[in-house]
Amino acid sequence: MSDASWVLDPQALASGSASLELWTEKEGVLARAAHDLCLRAQEATVSLSPEGQLEVAVEVKSLRVAGQVKRGQIKPLSAKDHAEIESNLQSAAVFDAARFPRVTYRGTCVLSEGRARVTGELELRGQRRPLALTGSWRLDGQDAIASGDVRLRQSAWGVKPYSALLGAIKVKDELRVSWSLRLRRADA
């Protein structure tokens, strides 16, 4: 695999053949009135060079609410709730999409026996911080499948966790990002 460059098909996320998801959990006195959420990126680029240089860029405006998470299942919310949550995500109070339209990750990937280890940096809201990733990697015909997840504290990148009703409802600082990506050879 080290002799090939790999990329994500530009339509893969929107079509559902790949996923890049952000999982949030609620807390606070009125947490029962709030939702644990799954958010899905609809637009991102992913590339892995033969030298192991990984680059990922997610368009903040493409984050969509997949739904609330209840007992491990994703259940849709009302159209109004989806629109309100997506507006909040893009606002200056959370990801500030107008000033910082992308979340990027750059690192060096080492592939070994079906595992991928990446040492790199995540840039969120203009702040870069180290973030190590681990996951699985396998060939599937002419494609490569990469999957895994990572937990991070959004406050480490200057994002104040969303809250409402004077903090009675809020998003926990720790988020989980998961991915299942079908990559193709760049020259295919």
Side-chain angles (χ1 to χ4, degrees):
M1 285 183 278
S2 62
D3 63 339
S5 291
W6 299 89
V7 294
L8 179 67
D9 181 319
Q11 301 303 314
L13 294 172
S15 72
S17 64
S19 66
L20 183 54
E21 297 169 325
L22 175 67
W23 303 82
T24 69
E25 294 179 10
K26 64 191 185 263
E27 64 181 357
V29 175
L30 297 177
R32 293 181 66 104
H35 310 291
D36 292 337
L37 296 173
C38 175
L39 312 169
R40 289 192 177 128
Q42 301 296 304
E43 296 176 37
T45 58
V46 178
S47 64
L48 179 63
S49 75
E51 300 78 32
Q53 296 305 303
L54 175 67
E55 291 193 24
V56 179
V58 176
E59 298 296 325
V60 172
K61 67 178 173 49
S62 82
L63 288 173
R64 296 290 176 262
V65 176
Q68 65 179 316
V69 180
K70 283 190 170 185
R71 296 181 202 96
Q73 300 292 316
I74 299 172
K75 308 284 184 186
L77 296 168
S78 71
K80 179 183 176 231
D81 285 345
H82 280 254
E84 183 179 323
I85 294 165
E86 290 166 7
S87 176
N88 286 336
L89 285 171
Q90 295 179 31
S91 74
V94 184
F95 288 127
D96 199 357
R99 288 182 51 214
F100 307 105
R102 275 172 220 84
V103 175
T104 59
Y105 183 84
R106 289 182 181 85
T108 302
C109 183
V110 175
L111 303 173
S112 176
E113 298 179 13
R115 301 294 301 162
R117 288 181 296 115
V118 186
T119 303
E121 290 185 325
L122 177 71
E123 184 174 345
L124 176 61
R125 285 185 61 115
Q127 296 189 34
R128 280 192 201 135
R129 302 280 180 272
L131 184 66
L133 306 177
T134 59
S136 65
W137 174 273
R138 67 179 173 83
L139 289 177
D140 182 27
Q142 293 298 310
D143 295 340
I145 308 296
S147 60
D149 69 346
V150 65
R151 291 189 177 271
L152 58 96
R153 295 199 173 278
Q154 54 188 316
S155 61
W157 282 267
V159 177
K160 182 179 177 190
Y162 177 81
S163 69
L165 300 173
L166 300 173
I169 296 174
K170 54 188 169 183
V171 173
K172 287 184 179 180
D173 192 18
E174 185 178 80
L175 305 173
R176 182 170 67 94
V177 178
S178 65
W179 60 90
S180 178
L181 304 172
R182 178 174 289 273
L183 304 174
R184 60 179 167 78
R185 290 182 187 268
D187 58 2

